[in-house]
Amino acid sequence: MAQTKYIFVTGGVSSSLGKGIIAASLAKLLQARGYKTTIQKLDPYINVDPGTLNPYEHGECYVTEDGAETDLDLGHYERFLNVNTSQANNVTTGRIYQSVIEKERRGEFLGKTVQVVPHITNEIKERIQQLGKNHEYDIVITEIGGTVGDIESLPYIEAVRQLKWELGDDNALVIHLTLVPFLSAAGELKTKPTQHSVKTLMESGIKADILVCRTEHELSDDIRRKLALFCNVKQEAVIQSIDASTIYDVPNMMLEEGLDKVTLKKLALSDETSPNLTHWNEFLKRHKNPKYEVTIGLIGKYVELQDSYKSILEAFIHAGAANEVKVNIESIHSEFINDTTIQNKISHLDGILVAPGFGERGVEGKIDAVRFARENNLPFLGICLGMQMAVIEFARNVLKLKNANSTEMDPNTPHPVIDLMEEQKEITHMGGTMRLGSWKCSLKEGSIAESVYGTREIAERHRHRYEYNNKYADKLETQGMVSTGINPDTKLVEIVEIPEHPWFIGVQYHPEYKSTVANPHPLFVAFVKAAKEYSKKKNGASLAQ
């Protein structure tokens, strides 16, 4: 397609309405009709990226193939579209201002006074159009974080206004996601918040082309007509987004509402090809009609906020569907695991996943959980810090290396089985300096990892500073913890296994980042299968008794 089309998704009335899911669902429908589509997220906070944000602040930090630390919405984009995102798909105010200030320091503005308009808005417009410049995509969807009216979002809204005018008719449109609340005392849905939100948007010079209305109750024709009239949109462009049992229902719901059709009509694109959602609906069918159930413990220290482990939770949904198993996740705070509580918290589970994280809080509970899984033949998967905890536990309790630890937790440990890489020791800036992005890994012949992946060479995404200390490799292997995945270039250990255990794997990387609806991650698929077999064996034994 000669001209890339642009769609902007804004939000009003309230945060957390699901702009990312709506953007991903629309992109899925357009992709299913044959249009090459990508999505980007513009975040209004001043951090350069989410890499230094506490998970309680912003949920998980999602890492792309090229090593960008990005907003968790990019995970939704990849899971829905099965297409890799990159640094270009996530822009923050911090990154925008950093770039403009650097240009000013280099003298690129020739002595001009640097201002929000035009310098900041020009930078935003340049970033928005970056993905469309090489004509790799027919449609670029841009989700603007925050809520219309927020002072932080104003430069983005102004950039959208300018860009919509510059691109011309049929080449850009604005979808405004808003809330239509139900007042139980009055017994009715209220349109006034949406009207005010649209008015606020219009005060910035932008007319919404399509309204997507989040609601807990069906929108009547009368309400749709009222919203169309007072918000200056066509009635067909008033789209209902009612609460769904799963986010994976939303593309079908948007298809039923005609969101993709009205979008294509406004962009002067053909809607003759019906969306092909065969594989998507097969996944949904398996997800909603499981033949078995397992309960897996997610052991972490940010469990109060589920978004902290968003990609892991979604990977379990994909793997569960692949196995026709419902995976019940039991979130367990590692700070509350100790000798007196562990039996009650873990013994009933069919498997445990020890989650990633940073810092020393809660690590002893993770180590205790690993020991329980190892000694009781409970299926175990350790991710990043979870893998490191498995190495520490084995060193302490099998090798009898007293006070073995990671130098992250104890800089003076006599046995640093996990240590900082040499190139990391001189780093003072925390942002964007970890081992990030896709790294190769060679798998040991005959290992569980090789059987899981079905190949000897893989590449997985990383986000960490500390590494398995190769000085202890021989001792660990001699006692039964085998290194089965090695980076061919750095010789760093990526995977450890205990062959005598039914299913015990720790990985230094983050497999959850690469799990999608179309391609469930093989490690999660195998882990859920192992948990299912463990559960059947356990329940069979209890029935026999």
Side-chain angles (χ1 to χ4, degrees):
M1 206 161 70
Q3 170 80 54
T4 300
K5 309 278 187 173
Y6 292 87
I7 297 169
F8 302 102
V9 181
T10 60
V13 182
S14 171
S15 59
S16 303
L17 293 181
K19 289 194 298 294
I21 301 300
I22 292 297
S25 298
L26 175 57
K28 183 68 201 174
L29 294 177
L30 296 173
Q31 182 193 61
R33 287 180 180 270
Y35 291 102
K36 288 176 287 185
T37 310
T38 189
I39 320 173
Q40 66 180 173
K41 175 78 180 288
L42 306 184
D43 271 312
Y45 51 76
I46 299 175
N47 300 67
V48 172
D49 59 43
T52 53
L53 286 172
N54 188 311
Y56 287 129
E57 288 274 331
H58 209 69
E60 79 169 4
C61 174
Y62 186 80
V63 177
T64 60
E65 284 285 293
D66 64 349
E69 293 178 287
T70 70
D71 184 81
L72 61 82
D73 275 334
L74 269 72
H76 291 312
Y77 306 162
E78 289 201 11
R79 287 188 282 273
F80 274 55
L81 298 182
N82 199 39
V83 174
N84 287 337
T85 55
S86 69
Q87 181 65 74
N89 293 78
N90 192 202
V91 180
T92 68
T93 296
R95 198 172 288 279
I96 294 290
Y97 273 83
Q98 185 181 53
S99 177
V100 170
I101 290 168
E102 285 172 357
K103 286 177 181 178
E104 186 272 335
R105 293 287 84 187
R106 291 194 298 266
E108 291 187 23
F109 299 127
L110 302 174
K112 295 277 189 185
T113 302
V114 180
Q115 297 174 286
V116 173
V117 180
H119 301 99
I120 297 297
T121 51
N122 283 349
E123 185 75 20
I124 293 169
K125 288 189 291 183
E126 190 177 311
R127 298 300 181 100
I128 289 170
Q129 294 177 94
Q130 190 175 335
L131 288 165
K133 276 181 179 174
N134 58 7
H135 303 291
E136 186 181 341
Y137 299 105
D138 301 318
I139 300 167
V140 175
I141 300 176
T142 302
E143 177 196 347
I144 297 171
T147 306
V148 167
D150 293 349
I151 194 166
E152 296 95 337
S153 301
L154 288 176
Y156 293 103
I157 298 298
E158 170 58 18
V160 169
R161 184 198 67 76
Q162 292 178 22
L163 200 51
K164 199 164 184 275
W165 179 79
E166 291 167 6
L167 291 168
D169 295 340
D170 302 334
N171 290 322
L173 65 82
V174 173
I175 297 173
H176 191 52
L177 178 64
T178 182
L179 177 68
V180 179
F182 181 80
L183 292 187
S184 54
E188 60 183 354
L189 292 164
K190 288 296 183 181
T191 65
K192 193 63 73 178
T194 296
Q195 292 177 47
H196 280 296
S197 183
V198 170
K199 182 182 177 184
T200 302
L201 194 59
M202 291 180 76
E203 286 171 354
S204 298
I206 296 177
K207 174 189 173 296
D209 298 288
I210 299 172
L211 280 184
V212 176
C213 303
R214 286 285 285 113
T215 176
E216 296 175 354
H217 299 269
E218 296 279 343
L219 298 183
S220 65
D221 287 341
D222 284 344
I223 286 177
R224 289 180 194 248
R225 275 193 295 270
K226 186 176 181 181
L227 285 167
L229 176 64
F230 289 113
C231 297
N232 204 25
V233 298
K234 292 188 176 180
Q235 191 170 331
E236 66 180 17
V238 178
I239 305 295
Q240 169 184 284
S241 176
I242 202 162
D243 290 355
S245 59
T246 167
I247 59 171
Y248 300 106
D249 278 329
V250 180
N252 281 315
M253 292 163 67
M254 292 302 99
L255 177 65
E256 195 175 318
E257 283 288 305
L259 177 59
D260 56 329
K261 272 200 164 189
V262 71
T263 296
L264 291 171
K265 184 178 176 182
K266 288 182 178 294
L267 293 175
L269 294 173
S270 170
D271 66 353
E272 290 179 5
T273 305
S274 297
N276 181 359
L277 293 172
T278 303
H279 292 301
W280 186 271
N281 289 328
E282 283 174 2
F283 155 76
L284 265 177
K285 184 179 178 182
R286 290 194 304 272
H287 173 51
K288 291 188 170 186
N289 298 281
K291 295 178 180 176
Y292 204 82
E293 283 191 33
V294 298
T295 302
I296 289 175
L298 175 60
I299 310 220
K301 58 181 184 178
Y302 310 115
V303 294
E304 297 93 338
L305 182 67
Q306 291 296 290
D307 275 358
S308 300
Y309 303 113
K310 193 65 179 173
S311 291
I312 289 174
L313 297 175
E314 298 306 316
F316 273 125
I317 290 175
H318 308 154
N323 283 286
E324 295 185 285
V325 168
K326 180 183 179 184
V327 181
N328 298 308
I329 300 297
E330 200 165 300
S331 296
I332 303 169
H333 202 302
S334 57
E335 276 194 288
F336 303 134
I337 296 175
N338 52 49
D339 290 343
T340 58
T341 64
I342 195 163
Q343 186 74 25
N344 184 49
K345 287 185 177 292
I346 296 181
S347 60
H348 62 287
L349 300 172
D350 302 313
I352 65 167
L353 184 150
V354 176
F358 294 93
E360 62 181 314
R361 183 172 63 88
V363 297
E364 292 301 325
K366 289 185 176 185
I367 291 169
D368 288 342
V370 174
R371 181 172 188 172
F372 187 95
R374 180 178 59 80
E375 293 180 344
N376 292 278
N377 289 331
L378 183 65
F380 168 84
L381 175 59
I383 295 178
C384 198
L385 184 67
M387 173 262 210
Q388 296 174 2
M389 296 299 101
V391 174
I392 293 168
E393 187 279 325
F394 200 86
R396 286 183 186 180
N397 299 314
V398 179
L399 271 61
K400 304 301 180 183
L401 299 178
K402 189 177 180 183
N403 296 324
N405 214 326
S406 164
T407 52
E408 180 184 9
M409 320 307 169
D410 179 7
N412 301 311
T413 174
H415 300 291
V417 292
I418 305 296
D419 200 5
L420 199 60
M421 292 184 290
E422 283 300 319
E423 57 265 39
Q424 289 281 340
K425 289 181 179 178
E426 303 303 318
I427 287 173
T428 55
H429 284 56
M430 301 302 286
T433 54
M434 289 186 274
R435 182 148 78 103
L436 293 164
S438 184
W439 290 67
K440 294 176 183 176
C441 179
S442 299
L443 306 182
K444 187 175 182 178
E445 189 174 356
S447 63
I448 296 176
E450 188 203 19
S451 68
V452 164
Y453 282 95
T455 182
R456 294 284 303 281
E457 301 297 327
I458 62 170
E460 292 281 2
R461 300 180 196 177
H462 293 66
R463 184 176 182 256
H464 61 98
R465 282 182 210 286
Y466 292 81
E467 301 278 358
Y468 177 106
N469 190 342
N470 284 339
K471 292 176 183 176
Y472 290 86
D474 290 342
K475 289 181 180 178
L476 288 161
E477 296 227 358
T478 301
Q479 294 299 316
M481 176 170 274
V482 183
S483 303
T484 59
I486 308 287
N487 180 280
D489 302 316
T490 64
K491 306 306 176 187
L492 292 167
V493 172
E494 304 277 8
I495 305 172
V496 296
E497 298 177 13
I498 300 179
E500 291 188 1
H501 191 285
W503 210 92
F504 188 107
I505 296 183
V507 296
Q508 183 59 78
Y509 49 82
H510 289 260
E512 70 272 20
Y513 290 150
K514 293 184 75 167
S515 186
T516 70
V517 169
N519 289 306
H521 196 284
L523 207 51
F524 278 87
V525 173
F527 179 45
V528 170
K529 183 180 179 183
K532 177 183 174 184
E533 290 170 357
Y534 176 88
S535 176
K536 283 184 172 181
K537 188 176 178 182
K538 179 179 68 175
N539 290 331
S542 63
L543 287 171
Q545 290 171 0

